[in-house]
Structure formats: C-alpha cells, structure tokens
Amino acid sequence: MGWMEEFQRVLSSRGVAVASIPGKGRGLVTTRDFSPGEVIICQEPYASAPNKASVWLVCDACFSSNHVKRCSACRVACYCGPTCQKSEWKLHQVECKALVALSDERRKMLTPTIRLIVRLILRAKLQQDQVIPASETNNYDLIKALESHISAVGEDQLVLYAQMANLVSLVLPSLNLDLKEISHNFSKLSCNAHTICDAELRPIGTGLFPIVSMINHSCVPNSVLIFEGNVAHVRATEPIPKNTEVLISYIETASTKEKRQSELKQYFFTCTCSRCLKSYSEEDAYLEGYRCSDDKCTGVSHFLSDQRAFICQQCGTARDALGVERIKSGAIQLSEKASTAVSTGNYTEAFSIYKAIEQVECDLYHPFSLNLLKTRENLLKMAMELKDWESALTYCRLTIEAYQRVYPAIHPMIGLQFYTCGKIKWLLEYTDDALISYTKAADILRITHGTTSPFMRELLASLEEARAEASYKHSSRERDVD
C-alpha cells in the first residue's frame, strides 16, 4: 500500500477524504455528518516558527508564552520547560549546532521564514534517517505533494526564492542540499502555510500543516481554523452533511469582493463562492460606501465619473467629489498623527485624534463602512488602555453591531467581541449585562474554539462567576422586598 492509500485510510477514520473537486483540484470532503463545533481535523505543524514580534516570547515547541527561556547555547530557540525542550531535542540539537556556528552577520539573516524552512529540512532528514518518527499524517511525502505554483511565480520572486535557498545552505553547510527543491519549498510555503494565531486571533507565528493545506477556501466557509498553541483545529461552524466539501477562509472576509479577490491572488486561484459570483452587491456598497449628504436619507452614494460627483442610489442627491477627497485627505493626516501618538504611548492624545477622525468619517461614510469600523476599533483599544470603561463599552457595542453585519452569526470575531464586552461590563459592575455578554460569547466560542483550552476555561469560569453573582444579587433583592 502506497503512502497516499495509507494517508486516505487514516483520514477515513476521522470522517474525511481527499477528493478531486471540479474547478478547484484537490480538496477535503466529509465521509460522515459533522455537527457545529465538531473537530474535523486536528494537526500539529510539520514545521513552524514564531513571527518576528513573538521571537523569544513563545515556546518553539508549543507556542506557549508561559515561563519561556532561551536555549543557553544558540540563544535562538526558546522553550517553556523541560517537557517541550525534550520533545524538540533530537531536531534542535542539530539546529542548535548550525546556529552556534553562524557568524553574527549571518545570524541577522535568520528570518522566521528562513528558520521555518531550516526546521522543515531537518525534520525531513531526521525522519529519513529514522532518528525521529514519521507517520501517515506527518511525513515529507505530504509536503512534496503540496502545490508550489512555481511556474506562475514572477521572475523577481524566483530570484528571491533562490537567494533565500542560498541562505538556507549557509545555515546548513554540512548537508547536501538541493537548492531547486528548497526554492520550491519556499514557493509552497507562500501559498500553503498558515498564520498561527493565539486564541484572540493575534498572529504569533507561521506553520505548515499539510492536511489543513488541502482544505480549499471560500468567502462563505462552513468551518473555521483555530489554533491551540501551534496545533491547528478545524471545526465545523454549521451542520456539514456527508459528502460535503470542507471549506475555510484563507483571508479576512469582512471586505469587498475586489479586495478579497486581490488578497487571494497569492494563492493562484479566483474564488467562485456565492459572494464572489455577485458582480456588485449591496453588501459591498455598504462596506466601502459613502453616506448620502442628506441626513434624512439612509442611502449609499457611489462615484459617477461622468458627473464628477458621488450620487446617492436611493434619493439621487449629489455630493461634490473634490469635497469628499478633501475630507478623506484630512482624515488620513489625522490618522498618521494618531499612529504617532500610539507609538509614543500617548493614548490620551491618540484617543482624542481618533474621536476627531470618527466625527469626520461619520459625516463621510455610511454607518456600516469598514473605514468607520476600523476607527471605532482603534477607539476601543485606546479607551481600554486608558481604562475609560464607559467609553470602551460604547465602542465595543458599536463594533459588535458592525461585526454582526459583516460576519456570519457563528464567527470567532463576534464571540471574542462579546467576551470583551462582558469583561468591560463586569469591571463596571453591570453584572446582569455582563452575564448576557459572557453567555453570547460562550455560545459562539464553544463552537469555534471548543471548551478545553486555557482561554475557554477562563471564559467559562467568568461566565459561572457572573451567573453566581447575578443569582446572589437577585436573591438579595428578593429578601429585601420580603
């Protein structure tokens, strides 16, 4: 039995199979029904590396941020304790010798991407030499089977891949490396790797998950990819019947069709989901839309070049294009000032500037526009930095309203925002309201995140605490009435 047959046998035991999908190539299809919240695929990375911001802050083995210490020899690898260090030792002892031998100049060239490929090569070599185990779902054959799309890569990018392959050979001079194969692996990485995020969807690294990479994209997915440490979990977000393709989103879906298609170009395909088949939707109009200059109208204005004006599609009111551009230019300048204030830790000034931007954008954009949403997200962050909980609550509620319009009902962003809202309400001692928000957060995040991670245990503990406090307060009020 060949490796692919063994691989399909293991997948079959998990309720999925690799299949040929018309117009897409290979994809993952269910061989049984899945319910919302069920794990479809759980996979450790074949190779992974923390991103630049997380270097020395997370464990190389599990991506935990607790009690992380650097390797005393190479001063590059980090581990959270003896268990993780021991689990990585057979690979890292080879990597460590290579890193120690590097000059300071070459060590500066060791980007997270270079290190990820170094670790991939070492894992493949050690598996080949039977120093570390391989399995049906963890072997280099799965990496070789991934699409590189190298024939579609531009000349400049090919040169860059070749240069990066040379850097890898300098890190691993003792190995007889195939530079062409390494270049292909860099190309595979660019269109198959996944950004590893923490439970709150903050990027912390990159990993190559060969089974997850077989799952195709949709802007209307039926599943979600969430990480626990650096382990990928694909969970169903809706009932998925047998013989249905498993679909996740590779990109941020809260954007217009034009932007989504642009971001998907790096994966070398054009999305044909139900959202992308629409030539121009009302959804896009709101996401990028300008409000009507008539305050009584709720319509969206579009730019008409022949009239050199923004015309409301509902009432026909015109808005001068030059005036709109002046307002946009002013908002951009204010945004740059706000970014400077944030970078220097002057959150009070940043909050004030973002408030001014919000005022300008409320006059310019439709209430559901992404530009206004982004500004309100920044206002929420600044209010929380300043511990201005009432303002934070205001902007948290506004962002939830927007999220519920741009995301499906079961989406981690909505769940996380309800969780934030619950924590703010709890700090303000709005116990009953906090309980409502925690409950809504848990209802969504149980499906997207499961229930066993430290993050979810903390949320469920907060929910129980709020429920107990609310029950105690209600009982006390009833006793007072009696």
Side-chain angles (χ1 to χ4, degrees):
M1 187 180 290
W3 74 266
M4 180 53 83
E5 289 78 9
E6 286 286 345
F7 177 59
Q8 287 278 37
R9 181 183 58 78
V10 172
L11 288 186
S12 178
S13 68
R14 301 184 185 184
V16 291
V18 178
S20 178
I21 310 295
K24 295 183 180 180
R26 190 169 51 197
L28 212 62
V29 173
T30 58
T31 57
R32 66 170 178 83
D33 296 345
F34 281 87
S35 302
E38 262 197 282
V39 175
I40 300 171
I41 288 294
C42 174
Q43 187 179 31
E44 295 182 356
Y46 188 80
S48 63
N51 62 23
K52 190 174 181 179
S54 299
V55 169
W56 304 328
L57 297 178
V58 300
C59 173
D60 278 17
C62 70
F63 277 44
S64 167
S65 57
N66 296 325
H67 313 296
V68 174
K69 293 182 180 180
R70 281 197 256 179
C71 169
S72 59
C74 69
R75 307 295 293 168
V76 174
C78 290
Y79 298 103
C80 62
T83 301
C84 279
Q85 189 172 19
K86 185 178 180 180
S87 72
E88 286 265 300
W89 177 240
K90 289 181 180 179
L91 189 150
H92 181 61
Q93 67 174 334
V94 182
E95 179 192 33
C96 191
K97 289 176 183 176
L99 296 177
V100 168
L102 290 178
S103 66
D104 290 342
E105 184 178 347
R106 286 183 178 172
R107 189 172 285 223
K108 291 175 184 177
M109 299 176 184
L110 195 69
T111 64
T113 304
I114 297 289
R115 186 163 179 238
L116 194 155
I117 291 292
V118 166
R119 291 170 66 80
L120 183 150
I121 291 169
L122 292 177
R123 179 170 294 278
K125 178 72 167 61
L126 293 170
Q127 285 182 337
Q128 182 183 14
D129 296 343
Q130 299 184 348
V131 175
I132 59 176
S135 69
E136 293 88 349
T137 58
N138 186 309
N139 63 75
Y140 190 61
D141 284 328
L142 291 172
I143 305 300
K144 289 193 287 187
L146 295 174
E147 286 285 349
S148 69
H149 296 285
I150 197 78
S151 61
V153 173
E155 188 65 32
D156 290 346
Q157 193 65 35
L158 287 174
V159 171
L160 179 60
Y161 288 156
Q163 291 171 341
M164 293 168 77
N166 278 319
L167 287 175
V168 170
S169 69
L170 293 175
V171 177
L172 300 172
S174 63
L175 299 183
N176 184 22
L177 299 178
D178 182 338
L179 295 184
K180 183 178 179 181
E181 183 180 3
I182 297 173
S183 293
H184 277 249
N185 280 338
F186 275 115
S187 190
K188 287 178 181 182
L189 197 65
S190 71
C191 53
N192 287 284
H194 287 85
T195 299
I196 299 171
C197 297
D198 67 11
E200 297 181 68
L201 306 187
R202 294 173 296 214
I204 54 176
T206 303
L208 196 54
F209 303 83
I211 303 178
V212 178
S213 295
M214 295 178 183
I215 301 175
N216 286 319
H217 162 87
S218 173
C219 302
V220 192
N222 56 19
S223 309
V224 64
L225 172 61
I226 296 291
F227 295 90
E228 293 181 19
N230 66 348
V231 179
H233 291 76
V234 177
R235 290 185 175 88
T237 54
E238 60 187 57
I240 304 178
K242 181 180 178 180
N243 296 325
T244 301
E245 185 181 7
V246 178
L247 298 165
I248 60 174
S249 176
Y250 296 176
I251 58 169
E252 169 59 76
T253 57
S255 57
T256 62
K257 172 186 172 180
E258 181 181 4
K259 186 172 181 182
R260 294 197 310 272
Q261 294 284 6
S262 176
E263 290 183 10
L264 288 169
K265 284 180 180 178
Q266 66 173 304
Y267 301 105
F268 301 97
F269 71 90
T270 300
C271 184
T272 56
C273 72
S274 57
R275 288 178 71 193
C276 289
L277 286 176
K278 296 176 183 177
S279 57
Y280 189 80
S281 65
E282 181 183 351
E283 175 194 37
D284 281 1
Y286 284 119
L287 291 177
E288 67 179 7
Y290 296 86
R291 62 170 296 176
C292 178
S293 56
D294 183 348
D295 290 339
K296 297 178 182 178
C297 179
T298 58
V300 181
S301 295
H302 299 298
F303 179 69
L304 297 181
S305 56
D306 58 331
Q307 299 185 41
R308 302 179 66 82
F310 287 85
I311 308 299
C312 177
Q313 302 301 292
Q314 188 166 305
C315 70
T317 301
R319 191 169 195 171
D320 176 53
L322 289 176
V324 169
E325 289 304 317
R326 279 196 295 270
I327 296 172
K328 283 176 62 179
S329 178
I332 291 170
Q333 290 175 8
L334 284 172
S335 183
E336 291 171 354
K337 290 181 180 178
S339 296
T340 301
V342 171
S343 65
T344 58
N346 193 339
Y347 301 125
T348 301
E349 182 183 353
F351 185 79
S352 177
I353 296 171
Y354 281 127
K355 284 287 289 183
I357 295 172
E358 181 194 28
Q359 189 172 0
V360 169
E361 290 182 340
C362 281
D363 181 59
L364 183 63
Y365 296 115
H366 192 276
F368 297 123
S369 85
L370 294 174
N371 288 303
L372 184 55
L373 172 59
K374 184 177 179 180
T375 297
R376 285 173 169 166
E377 287 173 336
N378 286 325
L379 280 163
L380 170 58
K381 290 176 187 174
M382 294 304 99
M384 292 186 73
E385 289 286 354
L386 294 168
K387 295 182 171 54
D388 180 355
W389 304 123
E390 288 290 357
S391 293
L393 182 56
T394 296
Y395 287 108
C396 199
R397 284 169 169 161
L398 287 170
T399 54
I400 287 174
E401 287 177 16
Y403 286 178
Q404 288 176 316
R405 187 171 183 89
V406 299
Y407 293 119
I410 303 300
H411 194 283
M413 287 295 288
I414 299 176
L416 290 169
Q417 210 69 345
F418 271 124
Y419 188 16
T420 298
C421 200
K423 287 189 279 190
I424 295 169
K425 289 172 179 177
W426 183 256
L427 287 167
L428 289 167
E429 298 184 1
Y430 300 160
T431 306
D432 288 346
D433 286 346
L435 177 58
I436 292 170
S437 291
Y438 281 146
T439 302
K440 289 180 178 179
D443 287 346
I444 295 171
L445 297 178
R446 275 193 184 100
I447 293 173
T448 62
H449 286 59
T451 57
T452 59
S453 68
F455 171 80
M456 283 304 296
R457 288 200 296 269
E458 183 181 299
L459 164 57
L460 296 174
S462 296
L463 173 59
E464 288 307 311
E465 185 179 9
R467 185 174 286 141
E469 181 70 13
S471 178
Y472 172 75
K473 287 185 175 181
H474 292 163
S475 298
S476 295
R477 283 196 290 267
E478 288 173 2
R479 286 196 299 270
D480 290 343
V481 170
D482 294 341

